Amino acid sequence: MVFLGGGPDGYRVHGHSTGVEEGEPWAFSYALELDGGWVTRSARVRGRTASGERETVLEGDGAGGWLVDGGQAPAIARCLDVDLEGSAFTNALPVHRLALEIGDRADAPAAYVRAGDLSVERLDQTYARLDDDGDRRRYDYSSPRFDYEGELVYDRFGLVLVYPGIAERAA
């Protein structure tokens, strides 16, 4: 579930996700603050696993500088988006921010938050805008770190409908 509120000056997103990875169940909730250009300015992620509860806070300066839990985070420098493992919603952030025209391609490295332990690392990823399918926007997406390539499909609001092998909107 995701709630998106705000306007041209910025957006607030609240959501949660659950899953199982390598036999370990996890759950997390998140609150994101985005500026008017869809650049992530902060992310507060609270997670729970069998080993306990955790919280990670990311604060961005809007130009690619980050603090993670109050400390400098040079490993994610020049990232403008936060990508939460287990949340297809966060793939909407670079799509909105980049506003690619059909045929355009762009790199969109992200500060990637792992679902189980809430550790943060850099995730290189690329989006290429494909021809639309009616009111559905299509993107060729790749993430070399996970050896993943797929066609992501978004609705007319820029929210993920289909993320092959990961998520598909039911309703």
Side-chain angles (χ1 to χ4, degrees):
M1 170 183 259
V2 174
F3 169 74
L4 175 64
D9 294 332
Y11 304 91
R12 288 189 245 356
V13 179
H14 299 271
H16 62 270
S17 192
T18 60
V20 177
E21 187 170 334
E22 297 178 10
E24 275 295 308
W26 52 260
F28 64 77
S29 62
Y30 58 90
L32 307 177
E33 298 276 338
L34 313 172
D35 67 18
W38 286 80
V39 173
T40 305
R41 299 306 301 265
S42 71
R44 179 177 299 274
V45 186
R46 293 185 176 125
R48 177 180 284 170
T49 65
S51 61
E53 295 183 22
R54 293 179 175 76
E55 180 175 76
T56 295
V57 177
L58 293 86
E59 298 171 88
D61 63 9
W66 290 93
L67 297 176
V68 175
D69 296 328
Q72 294 291 325
I76 57 172
R78 295 179 308 280
C79 295
L80 299 178
D81 307 300
V82 168
D83 190 335
L84 304 174
E85 180 180 31
S87 173
F89 171 77
T90 52
N91 288 85
L93 305 181
V95 165
H96 279 275
R97 181 177 58 76
L98 294 167
L100 298 175
E101 296 293 328
I102 294 171
D104 288 348
R105 172 182 299 273
D107 293 331
Y112 186 66
V113 181
R114 294 294 226 158
D117 63 4
L118 303 187
S119 62
V120 181
E121 59 194 58
R122 180 186 179 89
L123 179 65
D124 290 314
Q125 46 190 4
T126 301
Y127 291 82
R129 178 87 184 270
L130 304 172
D131 289 334
D132 292 343
D133 178 13
D135 64 354
R136 294 173 170 221
R137 297 183 190 147
R138 301 178 320 118
Y139 292 81
D140 182 27
Y141 169 78
S142 66
S143 173
R145 165 113 169 45
F146 296 110
D147 194 28
Y148 182 89
E149 290 184 21
E151 182 181 302
L152 306 187
V153 180
Y154 294 75
D155 67 14
R156 64 189 173 102
F157 301 108
L159 301 175
V160 176
L161 289 169
V162 179
Y163 189 147
I166 306 291
E168 187 165 341
R169 190 180 311 164

